[in-house]
Amino acid sequence: MTHAVTPAPNTSSDSSKALYGGKGTRRITVRDVTAAKERGEKWPMLTAYDAMTASVFDEAGIPVILVGDSMGNCHLGYDTTVPVTLDEMTILSAAVVRGTQRALVIGDLPFGSYQEGAVQALRSATRLVKEAGVGAVKLEGGERSLAQTELLVQSGIPVMSHLGLTPQSVNAMGYRVQGRGDEAAHQLLLDAKAAQDAGAFAVVLELVPAELAAEVTRSLHIPTVGIGAGSECDAQVLVWTDMMGLTGGKMPRFVKQYANLRQTMGDAAKAFADDVVGGAFPQPEHAFH
């Protein structure tokens, strides 16, 4: 079963149809995302885990926001994404939905919420749709998640697949580039086509050689979303704390930092503390009489 692609004119100059910076007040849908590929239009995706951050990205015109299980690492303090629960995902996804008006919000299905089979996946995804209000869900795996993807799509829940490095399988594969070598590359391509045939509306390719990601992108009629997968993907995604320079430590090679919020916030906290200790804050204008 394949996801229907909305016919669209072969032009990206129509600003009313553009995903990034486009006009309109309604929510972006998966049909808009698939139509963008028909127009040859690239688009950005960022993660978010709270209403305030999501509202900033929504106002900036980011068309797709992922409430990723990366929240485990950069928001909840876990070492990996594995401990993230469906309850945590539901709460934070709902916050992101409340903070946005236009963006398509996608919620991750965390580890343990869909691996048992299609029925468990449907039960978990239904919670994210009903309780959090997400417009789609994301799950890891191609052929191994075929039954889950098919049932969700048949039940009216759009699915974004995640291939390449799948962080929920870190205990089995580690953090390394996936799809190197003929056999591995062939399997990744099979997984991508299986996800598409099962009805997925897009495929995330994480830590995949650029040449392979380009081949997958050309082979699919649904969009590919790259993260460490080169420039030929239809879209690009980054974890927002990484690209804003808020995450501490060494960054992955594929991350480009667009700001240094860690230093900015640290400097502001120190200035506040110095003012309090030195008696410079609060001043009379900050008090009530």
Side-chain angles (χ1 to χ4, degrees):
M1 177 179 179
T2 57
H3 187 84
V5 178
T6 303
N10 294 321
T11 175
S12 58
S13 61
D14 185 353
S15 61
S16 65
K17 292 183 179 297
L19 287 186
Y20 170 62
K23 298 178 181 179
T25 57
R26 66 170 178 81
R27 286 272 181 188
I28 289 172
T29 69
V30 297
R31 292 174 65 84
D32 299 315
V33 170
T34 55
K37 175 152 184 166
E38 290 288 297
R39 298 192 298 270
E41 175 192 335
K42 292 182 178 290
W43 45 273
M45 180 167 78
L46 286 173
T47 65
Y49 318 110
D50 63 88
M52 183 177 294
T53 304
S55 69
V56 173
F57 297 158
D58 195 51
E59 291 170 7
I62 300 300
V64 184
I65 295 179
L66 171 66
V67 190
D69 57 6
S70 49
M71 70 169 69
N73 306 82
C74 60
H75 193 75
L76 300 178
Y78 299 139
D79 291 333
T80 70
T81 66
V82 173
V84 174
T85 67
L86 184 59
D87 286 342
E88 291 167 337
M89 183 61 65
T90 303
I91 291 171
L92 298 190
S93 295
V96 170
V97 171
R98 289 193 295 267
T100 58
Q101 295 183 353
R102 179 175 180 265
L104 168 64
V105 178
I106 302 173
D108 247 336
L109 289 181
F111 180 74
S113 69
Y114 63 96
Q115 280 81 1
E116 290 181 13
V119 174
Q120 185 198 28
L122 179 58
R123 185 166 54 246
S124 300
T126 299
R127 279 198 63 189
L128 288 181
V129 173
K130 288 177 66 70
E131 297 178 29
V134 302
V137 299
K138 181 172 76 66
L139 54 79
E140 294 183 356
E143 290 184 333
R144 63 184 169 91
S145 299
L146 193 63
Q148 290 93 323
T149 301
E150 286 181 336
L151 181 59
L152 293 186
V153 173
Q154 291 169 4
S155 302
I157 301 177
V159 174
M160 173 179 280
S161 294
H162 187 150
L163 302 175
L165 173 65
T166 47
Q168 293 175 11
S169 303
V170 62
N171 292 326
M173 66 172 55
Y175 289 105
R176 58 188 180 87
V177 176
Q178 302 295 309
R180 281 179 168 159
D182 292 342
E183 183 177 349
H186 179 65
Q187 182 59 53
L188 192 143
L189 185 58
L190 288 179
D191 282 332
K193 291 181 176 179
Q196 175 179 265
D197 292 343
F201 72 91
V203 176
V204 172
L205 301 176
E206 181 170 358
L207 275 189
V208 173
E211 298 81 3
L212 175 58
E215 181 182 355
V216 172
T217 301
R218 290 190 298 267
S219 300
L220 301 182
H221 64 72
I222 60 175
T224 58
V225 184
I227 177 167
S231 62
E232 296 302 311
C233 294
D234 299 299
Q236 297 290 330
V237 61
L238 284 176
V239 172
W240 87 264
T241 53
D242 291 347
M243 60 85 69
M244 291 289 188
L246 191 58
T247 306
K250 184 179 180 181
M251 287 295 96
R253 176 178 176 177
F254 57 80
V255 172
K256 179 177 179 179
Q257 291 187 331
Y258 289 83
N260 192 349
L261 292 190
R262 193 175 187 88
Q263 180 175 333
T264 299
M265 293 175 68
D267 290 344
K270 291 176 183 177
F272 164 72
D274 290 342
D275 280 357
V276 171
V277 172
F281 179 83
Q283 291 294 306
E285 61 266 28
H286 302 123
F288 299 92
H289 302 284

